[in-house]
Amino acid sequence: MLLMLAQWLSQDIRGFGVINYITLRTVLAAMTALVISFIAGPGVIRWLAAKKIGQAVRQDGPQTHLVKSGTPTMGGVLILISIGVTTLLWGDLTNRYVWVVLIVTLGYGGIGWYDDWKKVVYRDPKGLASRWKYFWQSVLGLVVAVYLAFSATVPAQMQLIVPFFKTVSYPLGAIGFVILTYLVIVGTSNAVNLTDGLDGLAIMPTVMIAAALAIFSYVAGSSVFSRYLLLPYIPGAGELAVFLGAMAGAGLGFLWFNAYPAEVFMGDVGALALGAALGTVAVIVRQEIVLAIMGGVFVAETLSVAAQVLYFRHTGGKRIFRMAPLHHHYELGGWKETQVVVRFWIITIMLVLVGLSTLKIR
């Protein structure tokens, strides 16, 4: 909205033309989302507390978590409000990628919201049945995958790019692209959700990865930079940097309230939405493998759950980890919650730097 207003005003006042720059709008989006989170945060938390939308804590988990019982959850609503409003203000609303990512974010957020609402308001410990949760995630993921596959305008949009190599890529074809896109979106969504188990654990890696993907988006949307860095040129992808700036700002604003000891948890409404957004952007800018590298913490958390379940079933009750997901394993091993969180943040910083290095190391 503000972009269109600035473009109209720039016809008479040249200074407003600066708003056309994606880099400036990305910074402004981050700042706007941060401010919205700060302003709306206390009110959202009070509303959640008044509605008695409190977190239920696993009795078989770390005993230190029992004090968190009743802490307001579904705080991801605050993140979605900040992202949505900011994107509408600073994004190019004629760009189809902006709408694709925004719809995915809000769609997965809606699935998570319904799941959380059933758990905490209707006191249904199962929430939305897993089969229905995955069904709706799959429907939305497949719809987006098919749309992106059949709206591709350049061959590079249908290739799997291998980082660290100049010319190594694999053509996927329409079916292969749809399958990969589905797996990335749904997989990343659930991976972030599994990681969201400690105060601040999931949101800070999400912020860092979003910021890094903003750089990849900007490069992919620039014919000059993409050619120089030997990355596929995706017309229009640069505008996703504005959305990702909003995500980073909203995430930092939420962290203000989610840092230990947390005043609010994001719940599925936030975790599913943020993960799906990261996955969708990675697919659009053709950086699925780089996303897996930068999101190594998310990958490790997911694999720990899969390994624990499979090993438990095939050994008649034995376990690989003290408890899954992985962060609980370290807690039960003697690490304090803050130690687990900060150390996982440090690991993510290193992995994000590795991911960013693929821009030049080829």
Side-chain angles (χ1 to χ4, degrees):
M1 296 179 183
L2 293 179
L3 173 62
M4 291 186 289
L5 176 62
Q7 290 173 336
W8 178 70
L9 291 174
S10 65
Q11 297 175 8
D12 299 311
I13 308 173
R14 292 182 58 186
F16 282 98
V18 72
I19 301 298
N20 286 309
Y21 289 103
I22 292 175
T23 48
L24 175 61
R25 285 188 287 115
T26 299
V27 173
L28 292 174
M31 294 171 62
T32 302
L34 183 64
V35 170
I36 291 174
S37 296
F38 282 158
I39 294 174
V44 170
I45 294 173
R46 284 195 298 270
W47 181 82
L48 293 172
K51 296 293 183 180
K52 300 187 184 301
I53 302 177
Q55 178 72 26
V57 177
R58 293 171 57 177
Q59 296 299 315
D60 60 339
Q63 295 302 299
T64 54
H65 286 208
L66 295 178
V67 297
K68 299 183 180 185
S69 181
T71 300
T73 187
M74 294 181 68
V77 170
L78 174 63
I79 300 174
L80 297 186
I81 291 173
S82 299
I83 292 175
V85 171
T86 301
T87 301
L88 293 176
L89 285 175
W90 294 112
D92 181 359
L93 302 185
T94 65
N95 185 292
R96 62 191 178 98
Y97 291 133
V98 170
W99 285 108
V100 168
V101 178
L102 195 56
I103 289 171
V104 168
T105 304
L106 298 179
Y108 274 77
I111 296 170
W113 179 87
Y114 186 70
D115 183 40
D116 287 335
W117 191 261
K118 288 196 68 176
K119 288 178 182 176
V120 299
V121 175
Y122 292 101
R123 306 300 177 188
D124 182 354
K126 295 183 179 179
L128 178 62
S130 296
R131 65 179 182 278
W132 286 111
K133 183 188 293 187
Y134 289 123
F135 172 78
W136 290 113
Q137 285 180 303
S138 297
V139 168
L140 187 52
L142 286 172
V143 168
V144 172
V146 170
Y147 172 78
L148 292 176
F150 289 94
S151 64
T153 56
V154 294
Q157 290 178 271
M158 303 287 284
Q159 295 178 343
L160 177 63
I161 308 299
V162 179
F164 298 113
F165 297 93
K166 288 184 179 181
T167 58
V168 179
S169 61
Y170 298 96
L172 297 170
I175 295 177
F177 177 85
V178 168
I179 293 173
L180 178 64
T181 299
Y182 164 79
L183 293 175
V184 171
I185 294 175
V186 176
T188 308
S189 176
N190 287 291
V192 174
N193 195 32
L194 288 172
T195 306
D196 183 34
L198 301 179
D199 298 354
L201 179 59
I203 191 61
M204 192 58 187
T206 298
V207 168
M208 290 187 281
I209 295 169
L213 281 178
I215 297 174
F216 281 98
S217 299
Y218 182 74
V219 170
S222 168
S223 59
V224 176
F225 288 127
S226 60
R227 187 185 306 113
Y228 174 70
L229 295 172
L230 301 177
L231 291 175
Y233 170 52
I234 313 295
E239 196 64 31
L240 292 176
V242 179
F243 172 88
L244 292 164
M247 182 187 291
L252 286 175
F254 179 76
L255 181 60
W256 183 269
F257 306 103
N258 186 235
Y260 181 87
E263 300 176 54
V264 65
F265 303 131
M266 76 167 75
D268 285 15
V269 62
L272 292 180
L274 294 176
L278 292 177
T280 305
V281 172
V283 166
I284 292 173
V285 300
R286 312 308 306 133
Q287 297 298 330
E288 300 93 341
I289 296 178
V290 171
L291 174 63
I293 293 172
M294 297 192 296
V297 166
F298 299 147
V299 174
E301 295 272 28
T302 304
L303 292 179
S304 71
V305 173
Q308 185 86 321
V309 171
L310 291 175
Y311 192 76
F312 186 87
R313 289 178 178 175
H314 286 82
T315 59
K318 294 182 179 179
R319 293 177 171 83
I320 300 176
F321 305 101
R322 299 180 185 91
M323 186 178 178
L326 191 60
H327 54 263
H328 289 319
H329 170 78
Y330 288 108
E331 274 194 291
L332 294 177
W335 289 15
K336 295 180 180 179
E337 179 174 349
T338 50
Q339 287 180 306
V340 177
V341 171
V342 173
R343 287 170 180 174
F344 277 35
W345 286 359
I346 293 170
I347 291 171
T348 300
I349 291 172
M350 293 188 293
L351 293 174
V352 167
L353 292 176
V354 172
L356 287 173
S357 71
T358 64
L359 284 168
K360 191 60 179 175
I361 300 177
R362 290 177 177 274

